[in-house]
Amino acid sequence: MSKTTEKYDQGGLSEKSENVKIAYLGLGLMGEAMAVNLARAGLNVVGWNRTPGKPGEVALLTAGGKVARSLEDAVSGAGVIFTCLGDIEDVEQVLLKAGGVIECAAPGTVIADFSTIGPEAARRIFASLNSKGMHFLDAPVTGGDVGARNATLTIMVGGDEEPFQKALAYLEKVGKTIKRCGPSGSGQALKLCNQILCAVNMISVCEAFHLAKQLGVDENLVVDVLSAGAGGSWALTNLGPRIIKSDFAPGFALKHMLKDLRLVFENLDGKSDELPGTKLARELFKQVGENGDKAGGGANGARGTQAMSLAYD
Ligand code: NAP
């Protein structure tokens, strides 16, 4: 049986998967690419973005999806709802507040959130939606804008097994490595571990470039030769060339990295001394992010994390 014709015996997904309405809320950098891949796979995708007229809407329409005027129109009748938003309060706003998913979606709906919000918030949202008979999966992703466009994301899922199995055929259209890590919050917990790896690694990439400049080594050699060695990493391969070209457009916005490092320590009860390397990385990202405005949303906060290299100019 092909993945798109699997049948489920209960919940909102007892139809062929291409007939199931999929609502995708949040057509930002990641959401756009993921919604487009779902639509290109022939699925019935209806997107919604808080601010109308963003490029994600055009991209989804071009890929064969639809765009709803309101959140309610998007989620009404949906069997699966995906969200890719910002911070905790954004996800709570869309899922739990008046006029949100909790009021507009039907019991039995599977809701998977791709945002990075940490395990504690994920468990809270799980409990609220569960009380209305809805199934919530935390499903944060890694692989960046490149992985989102190529449908090669790694997806770390927390939540119950049955809704995970229901969502799997759809997750396979946007990701390559998909793992249920355990109960609610466990996907977010693993994602925060990933963010430590990303943050500290980004700084090491910038410092390797800085040393190369000081020693008169061609920066291209740092990427071309070292990517294949023990010091190679996703950041070096994918963001190294952007640093060389002074291309600081996001990919993964620095303000989101600051959010994620804040979440690391919030979920560790503020015990920042237990992670001295991450604490230092957070300070360095703060300094660079705050070179715009204090909210971390200024000039550098809106840039990609490779803007960390500006600290070494
Ligand atoms: P983005 O480009 O800033 O997009 C954010 C989206 O969320 C926009 O569509 C925005 O709508 C919407 N949104 C934010 N707050 C909202 C609210 N209160 N109500 C309704 N909609 C709201 O961000 P992104 O890079 O796609 O990242 C989204 C999430 O994925 C973040 O949690 C991030 O940490 C995570 N993530 C990102 C990457 C990456 O490489 N970019 C990788 C892994 C995980 P508007 O257009 O109206 O602002």
Side-chain angles (χ1 to χ4, degrees), residues 194-302:
N194 182 72
Q195 294 314 87
I196 291 181
L197 295 170
C198 290
V200 176
N201 189 254
M202 190 68 247
I203 289 164
S204 72
V205 168
C206 295
E207 297 201 352
F209 276 124
H210 185 73
L211 183 65
K213 263 190 211 160
Q214 299 305 311
L215 302 184
V217 176
D218 179 353
E219 289 172 304
N220 291 292
L221 291 175
V222 176
V223 176
D224 297 345
V225 178
L226 301 188
S227 283
S233 65
W234 188 94
L236 182 61
T237 304
N238 291 283
L239 300 180
R242 298 188 200 179
I243 291 173
I244 293 171
K245 285 189 283 183
S246 295
D247 171 4
F248 301 118
F252 179 53
L254 207 147
K255 65 180 175 180
H256 287 319
M257 178 59 92
L258 280 172
K259 159 180 70 71
D260 296 352
L261 295 176
R262 187 201 85 227
L263 290 169
V264 167
F265 292 115
E266 278 178 6
N267 281 272
L268 203 56
D269 294 329
K271 291 180 279 184
S272 59
D273 288 346
E274 290 186 11
L275 301 174
T278 310
K279 188 178 172 183
L280 179 58
R282 187 182 181 200
E283 283 312 310
L284 294 171
F285 273 109
K286 256 189 190 167
Q287 283 169 25
V288 176
E290 286 173 4
N291 278 342
D293 70 40
K294 292 262 180 220
N300 288 332

Side-chain angles (χ1 to χ4, degrees), residues 78-238:
V80 186
I81 300 172
F82 291 124
T83 50
C84 194
L85 303 161
D87 207 334
I88 296 171
E89 63 190 26
D90 303 315
V91 179
E92 289 187 332
Q93 170 99 44
V94 167
L95 293 183
L96 303 183
K97 293 279 164 64
V101 167
I102 198 162
E103 288 186 358
C104 301
T109 308
V110 175
I111 300 149
D113 176 41
F114 297 123
S115 324
T116 305
I117 57 168
E120 201 263 330
R123 286 192 290 266
R124 222 174 35 239
I125 293 168
F126 174 92
S128 297
L129 291 172
N130 228 246
S131 72
K132 301 285 180 189
M134 298 174 195
H135 307 286
F136 180 68
L137 301 168
D138 46 297
V141 300
T142 183
D145 55 330
V146 181
R149 283 197 299 276
N150 296 339
T152 54
L153 290 167
T154 292
I155 310 178
M156 298 150 268
V157 185
D160 295 336
E161 177 67 20
E162 190 181 305
F164 170 68
Q165 288 302 331
K166 289 179 176 177
L168 191 55
Y170 307 100
L171 296 177
E172 283 171 341
K173 305 296 183 208
V174 296
K176 193 171 166 195
T177 304
I178 301 156
K179 177 76 181 163
R180 179 175 170 264
C181 305
S184 180
S186 56
Q188 289 288 347
L190 189 62
K191 169 71 183 183
L192 292 187
C193 301
N194 182 72
Q195 294 314 87
I196 291 181
L197 295 170
C198 290
V200 176
N201 189 254
M202 190 68 247
I203 289 164
S204 72
V205 168
C206 295
E207 297 201 352
F209 276 124
H210 185 73
L211 183 65
K213 263 190 211 160
Q214 299 305 311
L215 302 184
V217 176
D218 179 353
E219 289 172 304
N220 291 292
L221 291 175
V222 176
V223 176
D224 297 345
V225 178
L226 301 188
S227 283
S233 65
W234 188 94
L236 182 61
T237 304
N238 291 283

Side-chain angles (χ1 to χ4, degrees), residues 27-30 49-51 54 85-86 90 116 141 251 256 259:
L27 303 172
L29 277 173
M30 296 295 279
N49 199 64
R50 173 182 59 181
T51 309
K54 288 279 184 89
L85 303 161
D90 303 315
T116 305
V141 300
H256 287 319
K259 159 180 70 71

